[in-house]
Structure formats: structure tokens, C-alpha cells
Amino acid sequence: MDRRAADMTDVESPSLGDALRDKLAKLNVVQMARCLVVVAAVLLVMITLDPFPDLRSEDVATVVGGRMALNYITFGLLAAAGVLFVLTTDAPSLKTLVTPLHLCLVGWMLINVIFSESREVSIQRFVLAASVTSLAMILPLLPPTQRSFNLCLGGAALVLLVVCYLGVFFAPQYSIHSVLDITEPQLAGDWRGSFGHKNVASPVMTILVYVGIYLSAVGSFVMGPAIALLAGIFLIFTGGKTSSVLCLAIYALASLVYVTRSLWLKRIICFTPLVVLNLLTVGSVMSPALGSITRALPIDPTFTGRSEIWEFALAAVAEKPITGHGYAAFWDGVTERQTTQGAEWAVSAAHSHNSYLDLAVTIGLPGLLLVILIFVLAPLRNFHAAQAHSRSNALGKLFLTIWLFGLYFGATETFLLERQNPVWFMFALAVAGLHFLARFQCVEHPEPER
């Protein structure tokens, strides 16, 4: 009997070992593929398929049909691959995103697209926005462990920084604003890297500073400081005043929220300055009293006369307060409106320079309310829940900091729900990360082999 058992063991052991090795090899390939989707998604959003645009060319704003189609296809395929990967292993996590509020927002966006003043434009841009946002929301679920997430994020950040610095040193005409630029020659000398404008490069570099600080905090003592230092230097040379000021201020604010235990006190700390900032900017053109306060300040909260465009945008909200003018469609045909209403400063504007006001213009006040409930109020509650259960505190602080930066950056620039905007992508990723941390514990290390 013992002999037969030994013989059977001798016969079966090699086949069981081979099966185990094959299974582990297959698992490693799948894990690598999932991480590849993460890195590809981040780099596609940041570097794009058309990096280093020549701002000296009159054709810089021309949309090339084939290139745009490739953009849509690439994001669509990446989103589909990511969703399939997540469904195979993390379907319960994905299902937590199906909430009444989220469904209401999707439903309202569909209604808004149908009633848009430029329906075809809104449909096309909504499809791209849906792909990019879906990709951002599932990104925290793709890496198998927190360590692999850190490697993916850090690796993508380093690649982006290398590309930007190579552009500055070897192709400055394509990566630094010049007096020969068709628009805004006054920005000459400001670094923009592979991006089309310094106002995109500067917030991205701010976010990379936060990524570098996070990686340093979790033990990456080479990659983390390198990312933070390189991004910080680049941020200074972009000349982005808003992002430079917010960079340290938001990190200090996030640190204060991190050590605060009361949820209500967290809300006061996060939202009081944000409300005041919006009142001193957009609010200053709505109320004469607020306007007088703004004019008495030693600084200019209207950011060099943006009050005219805010007045124009508020008038547009009054025209269609419920349905809005259509997702991502209003500012394309705004020249005729500006001519009739006399908003001279707004002639060259591509957006309202305030994310919240812009959403009111495009998707209406109900859409703005849903966005505030989902992307402004809920994330802080999720962070509080994750912190209460001691779930990945360092990662939670990273997501909190990126989310807070987005909230305040949105008071001066437009990025919320803006298709493949890199700030929107990272903001949506942070919101999703806080959502999942509030409900699940991160896997820090691979499961032991059995």
C-alpha cells in the first residue's frame, strides 16, 4: 500500500508541479497586463498621441479627423480592457460604483446631450469623456497590490518627466512658450513640456509633487524624492502662479484634515476657504457688496479681469438654468453671442475659468448639483470612513490631497468632466480611490504561493 502510494506520488508530482508553475506563469502575465493598462492609460492622458504641439503654426487648433478617431479608439479599447480585467477579479468592488447618485448623473448627462444646442458635438465628446472617466475610476482596482500600484504610478510619472525635460533641453521651440506663438506670446519663456499650454503643465506637475511625496512616505527613497524634485523644479519654470501657490497650501490643508478626527470639522476646514474663494471670484460679479470687498483686497482675485467672462457665463446660465446649453458644446460657437452682448474680453475665451460655473452653463444647475454631491461632498466622507478603519493611510492622504487640489484649482480653471484633461483624470482617479478605500482594504503584498 505504501509502495503504491509512493509510486503514485512519483508519477503525479511532476504533473502537479507543472500545473502549478503554468498557473503562476499565467497569473504573472495577467498581472503584468493589468499594470500595463495602468501605465498606458496615465501616459496616454498625460503625453497624448500628439505631444509637443507647435504653437507657432496657424494649424495648431485644427482638429485632424483621423488623429481624433485614433484617440477615441485608443481610449475606448483601454477602457474596455480595464473593465474586463476588473470584472474577472473585482466585480464586487466595481458594483459599488453603481449607486443612485451615480446613475442619476449618467442619466442627466444623457438627457443633456439629447437637448444640447450642438447635439453631435456633445455626443462625440461625451463618448470620449465616458471612456476616460471610466478608465480613471477603475484604475485603482487594476494593479494586484498596493506596491504594484506604486510602481505603476511612479514609473509613469518618471517617463512623463523625462519626456518633458528632454523636450525642454533638446526641442525648446516645441516645449517652451515663445514670442512666435500665434496666441499668448506674452507667455514666452514659460515651460510647457509635452503639453499644449503651461496652464495644463503646471497643475500636472503639482500632482506629481504629491505623488513623489507619497512614494517617499511609503519607502521609495529614490524614485519618490526624484519625482517630487523634478516636478517641483518644472512647476517653478512653468510660471503657473495659481498651481505654485496651491501646491504647498493644499498639502498643508490636507495635512490638517488628515489629523482632524471630526467629520464636520473636516468639512469646515475643506469647504470654508473654497466657498470664500468662489465668492471673491465669481461672486464678486453677482453681488455689489462682494464686488466692493474684492476691489478692496491687496490682490486681484479676478485674475486680471476675468469678471467680464464670468458675467457673460452667468448670463448664459440664466438663459437655460435647467438643461444647460449642452455638454462641452457652448464655448465652440460663442463668438456670435459675445459680439451681440459686448463681452470684448471674452472673445478669445475657450471656457469660463471656473469649473463650477462652466458646468452650470453646459449641463445646467441640476447637473452641477449632482457633480457637487458626487465629486465634492462624497469623497471627504469616504476619506473619513477609510481613516476610521485605518485603511492605507498614506494612499488615502495622496487621494485626499489630489482631490483637494482639484477642488481649489477648479475655482480658477475649467477641468471638471472635461474629456481627457489630465487634471480631470487624476481627480477622478483620486475620487474613485477614496470610494474604494472606504469600502475595502488594500492588498499590500502578493498572496503566498500554495
Side-chain angles (χ1 to χ4, degrees):
M1 188 176 192
D2 293 339
R3 184 177 174 181
R4 282 198 302 270
D7 291 342
M8 289 175 64
T9 302
D10 291 338
V11 173
E12 293 177 4
S13 290
S15 60
L16 288 173
D18 291 342
L20 183 59
R21 281 193 295 272
D22 291 343
K23 184 177 180 180
L24 289 174
K26 184 178 179 181
L27 184 63
N28 289 335
V29 169
V30 172
Q31 290 177 352
M32 288 177 61
R34 293 167 73 110
C35 292
L36 184 61
V37 171
V38 174
V39 175
V42 174
L43 293 180
L44 178 62
V45 170
M46 298 293 179
I47 299 178
T48 76
L49 296 174
D50 188 25
F52 301 105
D54 186 359
L55 302 186
R56 302 165 299 172
S57 171
E58 294 182 357
D59 299 327
V60 66
T62 304
V63 178
V64 180
R67 197 157 55 214
M68 282 302 296
L70 182 60
N71 207 31
Y72 278 66
I73 292 170
T74 306
F75 273 113
L77 290 175
L78 273 178
V83 170
L84 287 176
F85 278 132
V86 172
L87 282 175
T88 58
T89 55
D90 296 284
S93 300
L94 201 58
K95 287 179 182 177
T96 62
L97 291 174
V98 183
T99 67
L101 267 180
H102 294 171
L103 293 175
C104 284
L105 178 59
V106 173
W108 181 256
M109 293 298 295
L110 293 175
I111 293 171
N112 176 263
V113 165
I114 292 171
F115 289 98
S116 171
E117 293 177 347
S118 303
R119 188 179 303 171
E120 291 184 0
V121 172
S122 291
I123 290 174
Q124 289 178 358
R125 293 176 177 177
F126 177 70
V127 169
L128 181 58
S131 296
V132 174
T133 305
S134 299
L135 197 53
M137 299 293 279
I138 64 171
L139 217 64
L141 299 176
L142 281 170
T145 64
Q146 185 175 341
R147 183 174 180 273
S148 57
F149 175 82
N150 297 344
L151 289 173
C152 291
L153 194 59
L158 282 176
V159 170
L160 172 62
L161 287 166
V162 167
V163 168
C164 287
Y165 272 99
L166 287 175
V168 167
F169 293 140
F170 297 105
Q173 67 273 27
Y174 297 109
S175 52
I176 300 177
H177 284 285
S178 163
V179 293
L180 300 177
D181 291 354
I182 299 299
T183 60
E184 299 183 289
Q186 69 274 17
L187 299 180
D190 292 340
W191 290 11
R192 60 183 175 90
S194 61
F195 302 96
H197 199 281
K198 68 148 189 172
N199 285 347
V200 180
S202 56
V204 168
M205 292 301 155
T206 299
I207 292 173
L208 293 188
V209 169
Y210 300 149
V211 170
I213 293 173
Y214 159 70
L215 292 174
S216 302
V218 294
S220 182
F221 300 121
V222 176
M223 184 164 60
I227 291 172
L229 181 62
L230 291 172
I233 293 172
F234 204 100
L235 171 61
I236 294 171
F237 282 97
T238 62
K241 298 180 181 64
T242 302
S243 295
S244 298
V245 171
L246 286 178
C247 182
L248 295 179
I250 292 301
Y251 190 79
L253 190 66
S255 299
L256 181 59
V257 173
Y258 185 79
V259 298
T260 302
R261 295 306 169 195
S262 166
L263 177 57
W264 276 105
L265 194 53
K266 283 186 172 90
R267 286 169 175 160
I268 293 172
I269 294 170
C270 287
F271 301 136
T272 301
L274 180 63
V275 172
V276 171
L277 179 59
N278 279 283
L279 287 175
L280 292 176
T281 52
V282 176
S284 66
V285 303
M286 299 174 64
S287 166
L290 288 172
S292 62
I293 294 173
T294 297
R295 288 189 295 273
L297 294 174
I299 59 172
D300 179 18
T302 66
F303 298 93
T304 321
R306 289 179 183 175
S307 53
E308 287 184 1
I309 195 170
W310 292 333
E311 289 175 354
F312 174 72
L314 287 168
V317 174
E319 290 176 10
K320 291 188 175 182
I322 304 301
T323 60
H325 292 267
Y327 171 73
F330 177 77
W331 296 98
D332 285 355
V334 81
T335 305
E336 295 79 7
R337 297 174 185 270
Q338 293 163 346
T339 302
T340 58
Q341 296 188 25
E344 289 80 6
W345 189 93
V347 169
S348 60
H351 51 80
S352 66
H353 291 278
N354 183 286
S355 290
Y356 312 103
L357 178 57
D358 214 79
L359 289 177
V361 171
T362 55
I363 64 175
L365 295 176
L368 172 61
L369 177 61
L370 288 169
V371 169
I372 289 174
L373 291 174
I374 294 170
F375 292 103
V376 177
L377 299 180
L380 185 58
R381 186 172 62 248
N382 286 331
F383 172 75
H384 182 75
Q387 195 177 38
H389 293 90
S390 300
R391 289 173 179 160
S392 304
N393 288 330
L395 184 58
K397 186 178 180 181
L398 170 66
F399 291 148
L400 173 75
T401 310
I402 294 174
W403 167 75
L404 267 178
F405 173 77
L407 292 187
Y408 283 82
F409 183 72
T412 61
E413 297 294 340
T414 299
F415 79 93
L416 288 173
L417 301 185
E418 190 182 340
R419 300 173 308 234
Q420 74 270 39
N421 185 303
V423 181
W424 164 245
F425 182 84
M426 295 303 295
F427 180 82
L429 188 156
V431 170
L434 291 173
H435 173 91
F436 294 128
L437 283 180
R439 292 159 178 80
F440 306 100
Q441 177 66 49
C442 275
V443 177
E444 297 185 5
H445 304 285
E447 292 184 3
E449 296 181 9
R450 296 177 181 174

